[in-house]
Every structure is written in structure tokens, then in C-alpha cells.
Amino acid sequence: MLAVVAVVATLAGGVLGACGRGAGGGAGAATVRDGRGTVVRVVDGDTVRVHIGGREEPVRLIGIDTPETHGQGGLRECFGKEATARTQALLPAGSSVSLVRDVEARDRYGRLLAYVYDESGSFVNLRLVEEGYAVPLTFPPNVAHSDAFRRAAATARAGNRGLWSSCGGADTPVPSPP
């Protein structure tokens, strides 16, 4: 745990300082100096809105994917509501977070890309995978924790945790009512 906190402290200042530049970052993008923010709200299991750098920003948790609750065309996937509720429990509105970048600052939708650590230093992205609320989703070059995410998913699947017990895996649509 101390190693994780040390990594966050070391990387937060230098790495996140470039959030206004890079992939998807353009004029008017927030510049983040210290990597600390305050959760405004959870959008879904893998996206939150954070007040950081003097403005509210959407933040996509890097390296993971949770089932959809309101995807394109109204897509809803099995365990989506549960994944969103778990992220809300881990990152309640008003809580402080540390955001750590990987290689790319933003995705094609303009969201900040970050590994998110809660007030206690717990690695939220990894925790969601460990508990079976998320699966690994790797988009190179953002691969710093991809091996840990794969190991955690294998353990969650073997332990039949979360979406693995309820849905049989990821990307399972919610069944239509009879």
C-alpha cells in the first residue's frame, strides 16, 4: 500500500501536469498540476466527473470496462447497475481522489484518462476488477497496469465474483422482459 501511495505522489505532479496537452486535449482543456480532485458524481461504473484544475472534468478509468447502463441505442448490459452502484460507493460525491495518467491524457471523447486512487490510497480501477464489477480493457499505449488487471480478472472469474456469477461474463445484454 505504501508503494502505491509513493507512486501516486511521485507521478501525480509530473505526469498529470500535461493533461491539457496530448491526445484529445485542445484549447481550453484543464491543466492539472497536482493530480488531486474532488468527485462531483459517478456517471457509470468506469466514468466519473471530478472537479480538478479549477473545472469539472469527465474522467474515464483507464484499463477497465464495466457493463453499460446507458450505451448507444439504450444499450444496457447485465450487472451495469451494480457496477455503477459499486463505483458510487467507492467514490462518493465530495470525496477526494488522486488521478494518475498513463501515456495519453485524453480519449477521443475528450475525457481525462486516469488511474484513480481514493482517499485511503486504494486503487479503484483494480478494485473494481478484483471484485468482479469490471473487466480489463487495454488501449495501448496506456498499459501500465494491464498485467495486474488481467490477473485480477482471472481470479474474479475463478471465484465466480460479481458479473462472472450473475452474467457469465462481460458484455451480456440485459434480457428483455417476457
mmCIF file with all atom_site columns, all heavy atoms in Angstrom, residues 19-33:
data_model
loop_
_atom_site.group_PDB
_atom_site.id
_atom_site.type_symbol
_atom_site.label_atom_id
_atom_site.label_alt_id
_atom_site.label_comp_id
_atom_site.label_asym_id
_atom_site.label_entity_id
_atom_site.label_seq_id
_atom_site.pdbx_PDB_ins_code
_atom_site.Cartn_x
_atom_site.Cartn_y
_atom_site.Cartn_z
_atom_site.occupancy
_atom_site.B_iso_or_equiv
_atom_site.pdbx_formal_charge
_atom_site.auth_seq_id
_atom_site.auth_comp_id
_atom_site.auth_asym_id
_atom_site.auth_atom_id
_atom_site.pdbx_PDB_model_num
ATOM 1  N N   . CYS A 1 19 ? -2.077  17.182 -18.663 1.00 0.00 ? 19 CYS A N   1
ATOM 2  C CA  . CYS A 1 19 ? -3.420  16.763 -19.057 1.00 0.00 ? 19 CYS A CA  1
ATOM 3  C C   . CYS A 1 19 ? -4.060  17.670 -20.082 1.00 0.00 ? 19 CYS A C   1
ATOM 4  O O   . CYS A 1 19 ? -4.926  17.238 -20.811 1.00 0.00 ? 19 CYS A O   1
ATOM 5  C CB  . CYS A 1 19 ? -4.344  16.645 -17.841 1.00 0.00 ? 19 CYS A CB  1
ATOM 6  S SG  . CYS A 1 19 ? -4.232  15.049 -17.071 1.00 0.00 ? 19 CYS A SG  1
ATOM 7  N N   . GLY A 1 20 ? -3.677  18.899 -20.150 1.00 0.00 ? 20 GLY A N   1
ATOM 8  C CA  . GLY A 1 20 ? -4.250  19.789 -21.141 1.00 0.00 ? 20 GLY A CA  1
ATOM 9  C C   . GLY A 1 20 ? -3.653  19.587 -22.519 1.00 0.00 ? 20 GLY A C   1
ATOM 10 O O   . GLY A 1 20 ? -4.119  20.152 -23.485 1.00 0.00 ? 20 GLY A O   1
ATOM 11 N N   . ARG A 1 21 ? -2.617  18.777 -22.626 1.00 0.00 ? 21 ARG A N   1
ATOM 12 C CA  . ARG A 1 21 ? -1.967  18.527 -23.903 1.00 0.00 ? 21 ARG A CA  1
ATOM 13 C C   . ARG A 1 21 ? -2.116  17.052 -24.239 1.00 0.00 ? 21 ARG A C   1
ATOM 14 O O   . ARG A 1 21 ? -2.503  16.254 -23.427 1.00 0.00 ? 21 ARG A O   1
ATOM 15 C CB  . ARG A 1 21 ? -0.474  18.860 -23.799 1.00 0.00 ? 21 ARG A CB  1
ATOM 16 C CG  . ARG A 1 21 ? -0.238  20.302 -23.423 1.00 0.00 ? 21 ARG A CG  1
ATOM 17 C CD  . ARG A 1 21 ? 1.246   20.617 -23.350 1.00 0.00 ? 21 ARG A CD  1
ATOM 18 N NE  . ARG A 1 21 ? 2.008   19.824 -22.409 1.00 0.00 ? 21 ARG A NE  1
ATOM 19 C CZ  . ARG A 1 21 ? 2.167   20.109 -21.134 1.00 0.00 ? 21 ARG A CZ  1
ATOM 20 N NH1 . ARG A 1 21 ? 1.580   21.150 -20.617 1.00 0.00 ? 21 ARG A NH1 1
ATOM 21 N NH2 . ARG A 1 21 ? 2.910   19.357 -20.362 1.00 0.00 ? 21 ARG A NH2 1
ATOM 22 N N   . GLY A 1 22 ? -1.756  16.675 -25.443 1.00 0.00 ? 22 GLY A N   1
ATOM 23 C CA  . GLY A 1 22 ? -1.778  15.269 -25.823 1.00 0.00 ? 22 GLY A CA  1
ATOM 24 C C   . GLY A 1 22 ? -3.077  14.887 -26.489 1.00 0.00 ? 22 GLY A C   1
ATOM 25 O O   . GLY A 1 22 ? -3.841  15.726 -26.930 1.00 0.00 ? 22 GLY A O   1
ATOM 26 N N   . ALA A 1 23 ? -3.332  13.578 -26.541 1.00 0.00 ? 23 ALA A N   1
ATOM 27 C CA  . ALA A 1 23 ? -4.486  13.045 -27.268 1.00 0.00 ? 23 ALA A CA  1
ATOM 28 C C   . ALA A 1 23 ? -5.780  13.671 -26.790 1.00 0.00 ? 23 ALA A C   1
ATOM 29 O O   . ALA A 1 23 ? -6.132  13.589 -25.632 1.00 0.00 ? 23 ALA A O   1
ATOM 30 C CB  . ALA A 1 23 ? -4.556  11.529 -27.091 1.00 0.00 ? 23 ALA A CB  1
ATOM 31 N N   . GLY A 1 24 ? -6.473  14.312 -27.691 1.00 0.00 ? 24 GLY A N   1
ATOM 32 C CA  . GLY A 1 24 ? -7.779  14.869 -27.382 1.00 0.00 ? 24 GLY A CA  1
ATOM 33 C C   . GLY A 1 24 ? -7.736  16.180 -26.641 1.00 0.00 ? 24 GLY A C   1
ATOM 34 O O   . GLY A 1 24 ? -8.731  16.848 -26.497 1.00 0.00 ? 24 GLY A O   1
ATOM 35 N N   . GLY A 1 25 ? -6.576  16.563 -26.082 1.00 0.00 ? 25 GLY A N   1
ATOM 36 C CA  . GLY A 1 25 ? -6.500  17.805 -25.335 1.00 0.00 ? 25 GLY A CA  1
ATOM 37 C C   . GLY A 1 25 ? -6.349  18.964 -26.294 1.00 0.00 ? 25 GLY A C   1
ATOM 38 O O   . GLY A 1 25 ? -5.553  18.917 -27.205 1.00 0.00 ? 25 GLY A O   1
ATOM 39 N N   . GLY A 1 26 ? -7.111  19.981 -26.112 1.00 0.00 ? 26 GLY A N   1
ATOM 40 C CA  . GLY A 1 26 ? -7.018  21.116 -27.011 1.00 0.00 ? 26 GLY A CA  1
ATOM 41 C C   . GLY A 1 26 ? -7.155  22.401 -26.238 1.00 0.00 ? 26 GLY A C   1
ATOM 42 O O   . GLY A 1 26 ? -7.031  22.430 -25.024 1.00 0.00 ? 26 GLY A O   1
ATOM 43 N N   . ALA A 1 27 ? -7.428  23.467 -26.951 1.00 0.00 ? 27 ALA A N   1
ATOM 44 C CA  . ALA A 1 27 ? -7.602  24.759 -26.312 1.00 0.00 ? 27 ALA A CA  1
ATOM 45 C C   . ALA A 1 27 ? -8.717  24.662 -25.284 1.00 0.00 ? 27 ALA A C   1
ATOM 46 O O   . ALA A 1 27 ? -9.751  24.063 -25.520 1.00 0.00 ? 27 ALA A O   1
ATOM 47 C CB  . ALA A 1 27 ? -7.939  25.809 -27.362 1.00 0.00 ? 27 ALA A CB  1
ATOM 48 N N   . GLY A 1 28 ? -8.469  25.229 -24.131 1.00 0.00 ? 28 GLY A N   1
ATOM 49 C CA  . GLY A 1 28 ? -9.483  25.241 -23.088 1.00 0.00 ? 28 GLY A CA  1
ATOM 50 C C   . GLY A 1 28 ? -9.467  24.002 -22.205 1.00 0.00 ? 28 GLY A C   1
ATOM 51 O O   . GLY A 1 28 ? -10.201 23.922 -21.249 1.00 0.00 ? 28 GLY A O   1
ATOM 52 N N   . ALA A 1 29 ? -8.631  23.011 -22.517 1.00 0.00 ? 29 ALA A N   1
ATOM 53 C CA  . ALA A 1 29 ? -8.566  21.812 -21.690 1.00 0.00 ? 29 ALA A CA  1
ATOM 54 C C   . ALA A 1 29 ? -7.917  22.158 -20.354 1.00 0.00 ? 29 ALA A C   1
ATOM 55 O O   . ALA A 1 29 ? -7.033  22.994 -20.283 1.00 0.00 ? 29 ALA A O   1
ATOM 56 C CB  . ALA A 1 29 ? -7.761  20.722 -22.399 1.00 0.00 ? 29 ALA A CB  1
ATOM 57 N N   . ALA A 1 30 ? -8.371  21.497 -19.300 1.00 0.00 ? 30 ALA A N   1
ATOM 58 C CA  . ALA A 1 30 ? -7.832  21.772 -17.975 1.00 0.00 ? 30 ALA A CA  1
ATOM 59 C C   . ALA A 1 30 ? -6.382  21.356 -17.893 1.00 0.00 ? 30 ALA A C   1
ATOM 60 O O   . ALA A 1 30 ? -5.972  20.353 -18.458 1.00 0.00 ? 30 ALA A O   1
ATOM 61 C CB  . ALA A 1 30 ? -8.636  21.018 -16.915 1.00 0.00 ? 30 ALA A CB  1
ATOM 62 N N   . THR A 1 31 ? -5.603  22.140 -17.175 1.00 0.00 ? 31 THR A N   1
ATOM 63 C CA  . THR A 1 31 ? -4.232  21.758 -16.870 1.00 0.00 ? 31 THR A CA  1
ATOM 64 C C   . THR A 1 31 ? -4.230  21.360 -15.408 1.00 0.00 ? 31 THR A C   1
ATOM 65 O O   . THR A 1 31 ? -4.643  22.117 -14.545 1.00 0.00 ? 31 THR A O   1
ATOM 66 C CB  . THR A 1 31 ? -3.275  22.936 -17.105 1.00 0.00 ? 31 THR A CB  1
ATOM 67 O OG1 . THR A 1 31 ? -3.352  23.290 -18.473 1.00 0.00 ? 31 THR A OG1 1
ATOM 68 C CG2 . THR A 1 31 ? -1.858  22.555 -16.772 1.00 0.00 ? 31 THR A CG2 1
ATOM 69 N N   . VAL A 1 32 ? -3.762  20.165 -15.135 1.00 0.00 ? 32 VAL A N   1
ATOM 70 C CA  . VAL A 1 32 ? -3.779  19.628 -13.788 1.00 0.00 ? 32 VAL A CA  1
ATOM 71 C C   . VAL A 1 32 ? -2.358  19.578 -13.278 1.00 0.00 ? 32 VAL A C   1
ATOM 72 O O   . VAL A 1 32 ? -1.494  18.986 -13.907 1.00 0.00 ? 32 VAL A O   1
ATOM 73 C CB  . VAL A 1 32 ? -4.390  18.211 -13.794 1.00 0.00 ? 32 VAL A CB  1
ATOM 74 C CG1 . VAL A 1 32 ? -4.416  17.645 -12.396 1.00 0.00 ? 32 VAL A CG1 1
ATOM 75 C CG2 . VAL A 1 32 ? -5.784  18.251 -14.375 1.00 0.00 ? 32 VAL A CG2 1
ATOM 76 N N   . ARG A 1 33 ? -2.106  20.213 -12.146 1.00 0.00 ? 33 ARG A N   1
ATOM 77 C CA  . ARG A 1 33 ? -0.745  20.246 -11.631 1.00 0.00 ? 33 ARG A CA  1
ATOM 78 C C   . ARG A 1 33 ? -0.493  19.173 -10.577 1.00 0.00 ? 33 ARG A C   1
ATOM 79 O O   . ARG A 1 33 ? 0.557   18.571 -10.555 1.00 0.00 ? 33 ARG A O   1
ATOM 80 C CB  . ARG A 1 33 ? -0.444  21.620 -11.064 1.00 0.00 ? 33 ARG A CB  1
ATOM 81 C CG  . ARG A 1 33 ? -0.272  22.654 -12.149 1.00 0.00 ? 33 ARG A CG  1
ATOM 82 C CD  . ARG A 1 33 ? 0.231   23.965 -11.584 1.00 0.00 ? 33 ARG A CD  1
ATOM 83 N NE  . ARG A 1 33 ? 0.565   24.891 -12.636 1.00 0.00 ? 33 ARG A NE  1
ATOM 84 C CZ  . ARG A 1 33 ? -0.315  25.603 -13.325 1.00 0.00 ? 33 ARG A CZ  1
ATOM 85 N NH1 . ARG A 1 33 ? -1.602  25.464 -13.078 1.00 0.00 ? 33 ARG A NH1 1
ATOM 86 N NH2 . ARG A 1 33 ? 0.069   26.423 -14.268 1.00 0.00 ? 33 ARG A NH2 1
#
